[in-house]
Amino acid sequence: MILEKWTQGLENPIEPVIVTSDKAPVKQEIHYADELEGAGKGLEEFPIPISTPGFDPAPFLTSPYWVTKDPETGIRNVGTYRAMIKGTRRTGSRAYDIPTQHITIHWNKWKKLGRPMEAAIVIGGPPIIGIVSAAKIPYGVDEFSVAGGIIKEPIPLVRCETVDLEVPATAEIVIEGELSIDYVEYEGPFGEYTGYIGPRRLGPSFEVKCISHRKSPIYQAFISQFPPSESTTIKSVPLEATLFKLLRNDIGLPVIDVAFHEESGSWEFCVIQLKKSNNSQPWQALSAAAGMEATVAKIIIVVDEDVDPHDPDSVIWALCYAMQPHLDIRILPGKAMLNDPSGAPPEASYEEQRFPKPTGGSRMLIDATRKWAYPPISLPAKEYMENALAIWKELGLPQLKPKKPWFGTSLGYWFEENVLEADLALKGRYYETGEKLAREHRVNV
Ligand SMILES: Cc1cc2nc3c(=O)[nH]c(=O)nc-3n(C[C@H](O)[C@H](O)[C@H](O)COP(=O)(O)O)c2cc1C
């Protein structure tokens, strides 16, 4: 299961290994500064598409894994941040506007030291790098080690040519360079995962010093606009895994599964499936999920084990019949916005859009678990559904993928008398029940 694999990777990281350039396919061709300018050179070597034609102002790198280092500790960070192409050897960056992003923490440290920040953009390579690169992994933890832990073998890295950084040796393309610390400039607008065009934002410029790549490299991009998209798929995996680990391993809650729905950009709509043993556990899970990260999860719902957290039909059923709005919903202020246009109008200041006065955005926490014994689910009992499924298969009908819940079960409020009546009905003896009701349960009105 993906969540388990992720958790064991985070808890058992494996350090990458450094290999020499002759063992690194990404070094098959290397272009230095003077070879990077002019038609078809530098970034123009690659078929970088315009992601949202008609709206985007330029082609963007949409799956760049930015590798940077904390200048104080030397610990690496890998993060996916889209980058606008501004010249054959210049891109925009997002290392400025969101202070909690790790690349921005690094940039602020480099700026304090008065030195341009070294960076390398990695394109392609082991797919696990793309997943950890988009993941909320705690600051100071090297994503390459987590990637190694997940795949249970070290990631081979090779040293860059012009910056003091290491990058995956089997990447398709590596773009080395420096981020300005003296100025920032606009980059964007860009078609976002929210389903809307995001505004242009200020960011340092990235000046390319060297590009290395395989012979005939494959250019990789993520489709990153209206959800669902490749971007929302790749984001949901680590986000679900990170919250799962927090709730189950760090807090010890009986969590079965976590779902970040792609229609919410895999960011704002989160459902947690719990096999609860008491009624405070859903609120523990809701509070912890709300505190996981400043911008993540506007709507958080906890459901019981027989509700599929990934299936909107199943979640709607839980919301309608296991939840009372006046009792089971809380609105929590203090949420920061990430590309969410509902917090403030587009003409508002950046600060207002990010954390509207006075208490920022908000989250809705919903306990949609049953709080007491319920009558059984109104579907035929398991043996009958399984029998029907066997007949279905025998007849060679198209394969079925049963949704949760696909058979009826007792949920605590069901008595010996009900069991006997249902049993008699199956034996064709339901008149006996009719007679009993007339004899024992008739009420004069
Ligand atoms: C396709 C794609 C594009 C992304 N673009 C950005 C971006 O432009 N700016 C940003 O702040 N986060 C962006 N993200 C989200 C970050 O990758 C994510 O927050 C990640 O945790 C950042 O790495 P870090 O935690 O090491 O800072 C993007 C994610 C994906 C999958």
Side-chain angles (χ1 to χ4, degrees):
M1 187 182 168
I2 291 175
L3 300 185
E4 297 289 354
K5 249 189 170 290
W6 184 272
T7 302
Q8 71 87 23
L10 264 180
E11 290 183 343
N12 307 286
I14 296 178
E15 287 273 307
V17 285
I18 304 290
V19 300
T20 48
S21 289
D22 56 320
K23 301 217 165 49
V26 74
K27 300 283 187 184
Q28 283 166 356
E29 274 191 33
I30 305 176
H31 306 289
Y32 292 97
D34 49 344
E35 298 168 61
L36 298 172
E37 271 167 56
K41 297 204 174 153
L43 296 166
E44 254 185 50
E45 245 201 288
F46 313 109
I48 306 167
I50 293 179
S51 304
T52 333
F55 295 101
D56 287 356
F60 282 74
L61 301 172
T62 57
S63 70
Y65 316 143
W66 289 81
V67 180
T68 54
K69 261 186 194 167
D70 181 322
E72 288 163 6
T73 64
I75 297 174
R76 267 182 302 262
N77 187 70
V78 188
T80 300
Y81 306 97
R82 64 111 200 277
M84 177 176 166
I85 304 298
K86 293 182 168 179
T88 62
R89 43 182 305 194
R90 199 163 75 89
T91 79
S93 85
R94 301 299 304 283
Y96 182 73
D97 63 311
I98 305 171
T100 48
Q101 293 295 58
H102 297 171
I103 194 171
T104 311
I105 298 175
H106 282 187
W107 186 81
N108 282 320
K109 288 189 174 195
W110 283 88
K111 181 162 172 57
K112 226 176 187 174
L113 290 176
R115 284 158 50 198
M117 179 162 82
E118 297 189 325
I121 295 175
V122 176
I123 294 178
I128 189 64
I129 306 295
I131 295 178
V132 294
S133 177
K136 288 275 154 231
I137 290 171
Y139 185 76
V141 176
D142 179 358
E143 276 96 347
F144 287 138
S145 302
V146 175
I150 293 170
I151 63 168
K152 294 197 173 149
E153 58 183 74
I155 302 288
L157 299 183
V158 64
R159 292 190 204 292
C160 287
E161 301 296 309
T162 58
V163 289
D164 180 21
L165 291 166
E166 302 80 33
V167 288
T170 58
E172 296 291 325
I173 302 163
V174 168
I175 305 160
E176 303 174 12
E178 283 179 355
L179 283 158
S180 60
I181 51 161
D182 304 324
Y183 65 93
V184 287
E185 60 181 38
Y186 278 125
E187 80 106 73
F190 180 68
E192 286 287 0
Y193 63 90
T194 56
Y196 297 95
I197 301 288
R200 52 189 198 175
R201 295 284 188 215
L202 289 171
S205 227
F206 180 62
E207 298 292 335
V208 178
K209 291 165 77 176
C210 171
I211 297 179
S212 64
H213 59 78
R214 287 172 180 256
K215 279 206 186 314
S216 306
I218 296 171
Y219 176 73
Q220 176 190 295
F222 291 145
I223 295 173
S224 195
Q225 287 66 50
F226 197 92
S229 69
E230 287 173 329
S231 157
T232 55
T233 303
I234 206 159
K235 272 195 303 203
S236 66
V237 174
L239 211 48
E240 287 167 359
T242 305
L243 181 56
F244 177 77
K245 176 187 172 291
L246 172 75
L247 297 176
R248 198 194 62 173
N249 291 35
D250 302 341
I251 301 179
L253 289 168
V255 173
I256 304 171
D257 203 355
V258 171
F260 274 88
H261 285 241
E262 290 203 39
E263 295 73 13
S264 75
S266 297
W267 207 251
E268 303 290 7
F269 193 92
C270 167
V271 186
I272 299 163
Q273 188 189 37
L274 209 59
K275 187 175 178 163
K276 68 172 181 179
S277 53
N278 63 60
N279 283 335
S280 75
Q281 285 173 342
W283 287 102
Q284 272 185 279
L286 289 165
S287 313
M292 179 171 79
E293 204 267 345
T295 64
V296 167
K298 187 189 285 185
I299 298 167
I300 313 172
I301 304 170
V302 177
V303 295
D304 284 312
E305 61 186 302
D306 57 1
V307 174
D308 180 352
H310 296 272
D311 177 4
D313 292 349
S314 196
V315 175
I316 290 170
W317 176 60
L319 284 174
C320 291
Y321 295 110
M323 186 277 289
Q324 281 296 317
H326 70 296
L327 296 175
D328 300 321
I329 296 182
R330 293 286 180 279
I331 307 292
L332 201 66
K335 183 182 186 291
M337 305 287 175
L338 188 71
N339 301 317
D340 179 351
S342 69
E347 61 273 17
S349 68
Y350 173 68
E351 288 69 29
E352 191 64 10
Q353 287 181 34
R354 185 150 168 80
F355 199 82
K357 284 191 188 81
T359 55
S362 57
R363 292 184 170 86
M364 181 157 53
L365 313 187
I366 306 176
D367 176 2
T369 61
R370 301 179 199 97
K371 319 296 181 301
W372 41 74
Y374 264 49
I377 290 170
S378 58
L379 284 165
K382 193 173 182 195
E383 68 232 67
Y384 302 99
M385 292 302 260
E386 280 180 346
N387 197 29
L389 200 57
I391 295 169
W392 185 277
K393 278 186 191 152
E394 225 174 87
L395 294 174
L397 293 167
Q399 201 178 352
L400 291 181
K401 207 174 158 212
K403 283 157 79 91
K404 259 181 181 262
W406 69 283
F407 53 81
T409 42
S410 173
L411 297 171
Y413 194 81
W414 199 239
F415 303 99
E416 191 56 32
E417 186 181 9
N418 302 120
V419 175
L420 288 174
E421 288 174 1
D423 198 41
L424 282 177
L426 290 169
K427 291 174 179 151
R429 291 167 54 191
Y430 41 89
Y431 290 159
E432 291 176 35
T433 301
E435 283 158 20
K436 179 190 74 177
L437 294 178
R439 200 171 54 244
E440 296 174 16
H441 295 285
R442 191 165 281 177
V443 180
N444 291 331
V445 289

